[in-house]
Amino acid sequence: ETHGITFRIQISVKELLDTDILLKLLFHLPVNYPSTLPDISVNSDQLTRAQCMDVKDKLLEQAKQHLSEPMVHDLILWIQQHLKYVIKQSATVCSEKPTLSKGTSTEDGIWMLLLHLDHMRAKAKYIKTVEKWTSDLRLTGRLMFMGRIILILLQGDRSNIKEYLILQKTSKVDVDSSGKKCKEKMISVLCETKVQPQHKRFQMFEVKEYSTLDELQKEFETAGLTTFFSEFVPPLLK
């Protein structure tokens, strides 16, 4: 009644080469839908993250044309008919991008994000959600537990890291003291910076627990992040 409804739809669409693309669509309909646009998430194992983002953007563009009238069914029909054109357009944009931005973009390269969470009440569900987001966004790094300290260290494209932050702040990832689903309100961005040559690249995303501060420190040192540890972690113990 206060948060609207969320539902998932899976559809199979014929793509350019007559192969089936399985689209996983998530619609969140707010309470005042259809006067307010739905939130839409798009995933597919056969598409790149950039292509999924393009599909989402196109669906939202279409949704604006149906404002104040039920639209989900129309949006599904539209993407079934137009997916191959969206993908083709996305591929064209991607192939042009390097020549347009070569040497000019400050966003090039891999970025790193260090987050501090105050707590996790629904720990198992929270971890599963973070693992899904990092997988969808092709981010690597660590979810680290040491006593009461909870840290998330991520590496990946800056745009994907920014999208992760949006998901982290706007999705209902935990439960409150009464057991109701709630958004993450007690999160701190400790650092967001470009990965430097001395920093080790993580090959995957892992959830790790450390029994001592020394173990946690060694994780940072192994990744070439000694200064990050000394600057950001000790103040969390106070």
Side-chain angles (χ1 to χ4, degrees):
E1 291 180 4
T2 57
H3 303 297
I5 61 170
T6 299
F7 59 91
R8 298 175 186 274
I9 296 176
Q10 289 196 164
I11 57 172
S12 184
V13 186
K14 280 271 190 246
E15 209 258 312
L16 291 170
L17 301 174
D18 290 328
T19 55
D20 287 340
I21 299 292
L22 185 64
L23 279 184
K24 302 170 186 175
L25 307 174
L26 186 146
F27 292 89
H28 172 69
L29 308 184
V31 178
N32 45 359
Y33 168 86
S35 299
T36 300
L37 293 177
D39 291 323
I40 304 172
S41 175
V42 178
N43 284 293
S44 174
D45 294 336
Q46 292 113 315
L47 301 181
T48 66
R49 186 65 198 167
Q51 287 172 325
C52 287
M53 290 294 292
D54 285 338
V55 172
K56 172 185 171 180
D57 290 343
K58 294 297 183 185
L59 283 171
L60 287 172
E61 284 178 19
Q62 289 299 311
K64 290 175 184 176
Q65 299 178 25
H66 295 278
L67 200 58
S68 297
E69 60 187 59
M71 66 186 75
V72 173
H73 183 251
D74 290 321
L75 294 179
I76 292 169
L77 290 178
W78 186 89
I79 200 59
Q80 285 177 316
Q81 296 167 5
H82 295 85
L83 178 64
K84 60 184 178 182
Y85 304 111
V86 176
I87 293 173
K88 192 173 182 180
Q89 187 179 36
S90 177
T92 304
V93 171
C94 288
S95 65
E96 291 175 353
K97 215 169 186 179
T99 54
L100 291 174
S101 62
K102 194 173 183 180
T104 60
S105 175
T106 57
E107 310 243 325
D108 290 343
I110 302 301
W111 281 70
M112 182 160 49
L113 176 72
L114 181 61
L115 301 173
H116 172 241
L117 303 182
D118 184 74
H119 61 269
M120 284 185 185
R121 286 195 175 93
K123 186 175 177 180
K125 179 181 177 295
Y126 205 129
I127 290 173
K128 192 174 181 180
T129 301
V130 171
E131 287 178 325
K132 183 183 184 311
W133 288 343
T134 55
S135 174
D136 289 346
L137 294 167
R138 295 177 183 165
L139 300 175
T140 60
R142 300 284 186 268
L143 170 52
M144 301 178 279
F145 296 91
M146 201 290 295
R148 297 186 65 180
I149 292 178
I150 307 171
L151 299 170
I152 300 177
L153 179 61
L154 299 175
Q155 291 178 348
D157 291 341
R158 194 178 192 189
S159 60
N160 289 353
I161 280 182
K162 288 188 177 297
E163 187 176 346
Y164 177 91
L165 260 180
I166 292 170
L167 287 169
Q168 181 77 64
K169 292 178 178 179
T170 60
S171 304
K172 292 178 183 177
V173 289
D174 207 0
V175 296
D176 60 21
S177 56
S178 62
K180 291 183 179 178
K181 292 180 181 180
C182 66
K183 296 177 183 178
E184 179 59 76
K185 296 178 180 177
M186 302 183 73
I187 183 172
S188 304
V189 178
L190 300 179
C191 181
E192 184 180 353
T193 185
K194 192 172 182 179
V195 170
Q196 300 302 316
Q198 69 270 26
H199 300 151
K200 176 188 168 187
R201 287 289 310 278
F202 293 109
Q203 298 304 308
M204 62 183 70
F205 182 81
E206 294 181 82
V207 180
K208 301 185 78 170
E209 301 215 16
Y210 310 86
S211 55
T212 67
L213 191 62
D214 284 343
E215 286 182 13
L216 181 60
Q217 184 171 353
K218 283 176 184 174
E219 181 77 73
F220 276 80
E221 289 174 353
T222 302
L225 301 171
T226 305
T227 54
F228 281 67
F229 178 87
S230 58
E231 183 175 353
F232 299 112
V233 178
L236 301 176
L237 298 169
K238 295 175 183 176

